[in-house]
Amino acid sequence: MWHAIFEHVTIFISVLFCSIAVKLIDDFLDKDLDMQGGYLNFTKKFGDGIIIYAILSLTVAASINAFVSIPLFLASYSIGMFEDLKHPFPSGLSGMQESLLVFILGILLWGWQRMVFSMLFIFAIQLFDDYLDMYTDQAVGYRNLAYRLGKIECLLLSIISMLSAWQVGEHMFLPVFCSASLFYGILFFYQKEAY
Amino acid sequence: MLLIVILLMCTLLLGYCWGKHNGRVEGYEQGIVSLPIRLREQSFEQGYCMLCNNQLTNEPSDY
């Protein structure tokens, strides 16, 4: 019983740190786009040095529970890069090739179940985020998934993806979901407060 | 149980996409049929005929 509670707590905290790392890296990469859209951006606010805290945060997350946080980070990278299909990366590969490579690497290192769970979970969050930001993204000329698929289709696909993640990784879904929701909620209200 | 909910949501999504596509096709066809009538109606209300570009009078037509 205590072991189960302890495991849930470690998952919860590690996902929280992993979310911080993903948010900081995302802000670092998208600072120009966020400036145009008027989004809250931590790189804009605290400078480029913030990327060090992203690495630190990911290291803490991996130290607490690597089995959950690292596949989630790899999935975030894979899904984030997949949108940038044509842009060439420093590795010389395209976004799609890098995404597939990271996904295969994730499966080899952490097993298919953890990796598929992470991909579905992050994809659901990405879709929900695009659903909320459809009009602001459109205003800066970025056609996100909600624009391309349709708003309701995007929301329904997000729910399906989240439920599928629950089906695949039943034992770790609740702490991951609670932690990600808490982080997303804090970010949402912090962004509201900032304007 | 969860699997049933996922299947139901997938069905809802497919139904929504199908309905939206059908609605778009039907709406387009309906628009093509009703547009000339609507335009003619509007031109009559503004006092001219959009086909011959003549002003409307209360006199009976020669034709």
Side-chain angles (χ1 to χ4, degrees):
Chain A
M1 176 71 183
W2 282 109
H3 177 73
I5 293 171
F6 182 72
E7 201 194 339
H8 278 62
V9 171
T10 58
I11 291 173
F12 183 89
I13 298 169
S14 80
V15 171
L16 214 56
F17 276 102
C18 184
S19 308
I20 293 169
V22 171
K23 169 68 185 159
L24 294 180
I25 292 170
D26 189 54
D27 277 6
F28 182 75
L29 293 172
D30 290 344
K31 59 182 171 190
D32 296 330
L33 194 71
D34 286 350
M35 266 185 206
Q36 286 174 351
Y39 292 117
L40 169 78
N41 186 302
F42 288 109
T43 305
K44 193 175 79 180
K45 204 168 181 180
F46 300 109
D48 286 351
I50 203 93
I51 197 78
I52 300 297
Y53 294 108
I55 299 167
L56 191 68
S57 187
L58 186 66
T59 312
V60 173
S63 307
I64 295 168
N65 193 325
F67 291 100
V68 175
S69 59
I70 300 296
L72 277 173
F73 182 78
L74 291 176
S76 306
Y77 185 87
S78 188
I79 285 171
M81 294 302 121
F82 195 79
E83 290 207 350
D84 227 340
L85 292 176
K86 286 172 187 166
H87 188 259
F89 284 82
S91 62
L93 299 170
S94 70
M96 195 198 262
Q97 287 167 331
E98 270 208 11
S99 285
L100 282 173
L101 206 67
V102 169
F103 180 60
I104 292 165
L105 194 72
I107 288 177
L108 291 173
L109 291 172
W110 300 99
W112 73 269
Q113 200 185 6
R114 284 199 178 90
M115 207 51 211
V116 170
F117 165 80
S118 303
M119 289 293 279
L120 288 168
F121 190 83
I122 298 295
F123 187 55
I125 290 179
Q126 173 81 51
L127 285 167
F128 188 67
D129 193 52
D130 283 1
Y131 168 77
L132 291 179
D133 292 341
M134 183 180 162
Y135 297 114
T136 27
D137 280 352
Q138 218 175 316
V140 290
Y142 175 61
R143 292 175 176 181
N144 69 19
L145 285 169
Y147 179 87
R148 282 183 267 174
L149 300 173
K151 214 173 172 192
I152 300 297
E153 289 92 329
C154 186
L155 182 66
L156 286 174
L157 206 59
S158 167
I159 295 168
I160 291 168
S161 188
M162 192 57 90
L163 290 173
S164 306
W166 194 353
Q167 177 72 25
V168 175
E170 214 170 335
H171 60 289
M172 57 182 160
F173 177 78
L174 273 178
V176 173
F177 181 76
C178 291
S179 186
S181 304
L182 179 73
F183 181 77
Y184 202 86
I186 291 170
L187 212 64
F188 193 74
F189 281 103
Y190 190 68
Q191 189 152 15
K192 256 188 169 180
E193 288 284 311
Y195 295 99
Chain B
M1 179 63 189
L2 197 58
L3 207 63
I4 295 169
V5 179
I6 294 169
L7 284 174
L8 277 173
M9 291 302 293
C10 288
T11 316
L12 182 65
L13 177 65
L14 284 176
Y16 181 83
C17 292
W18 185 49
K20 193 175 173 180
H21 174 75
N22 246 18
R24 200 169 275 173
V25 171
E26 275 182 25
Y28 186 75
E29 282 169 4
Q30 228 168 44
I32 285 177
V33 171
S34 64
L35 188 68
I37 301 166
R38 296 272 301 176
L39 284 173
R40 233 183 136 186
E41 192 185 341
Q42 275 180 17
S43 73
F44 284 154
E45 278 167 7
Q46 286 166 16
Y48 71 97
C49 172
M50 64 171 277
L51 295 177
C52 57
N53 212 18
N54 281 339
Q55 289 293 318
L56 293 179
T57 57
N58 287 329
E59 302 294 313
S61 170
D62 296 336
Y63 301 105

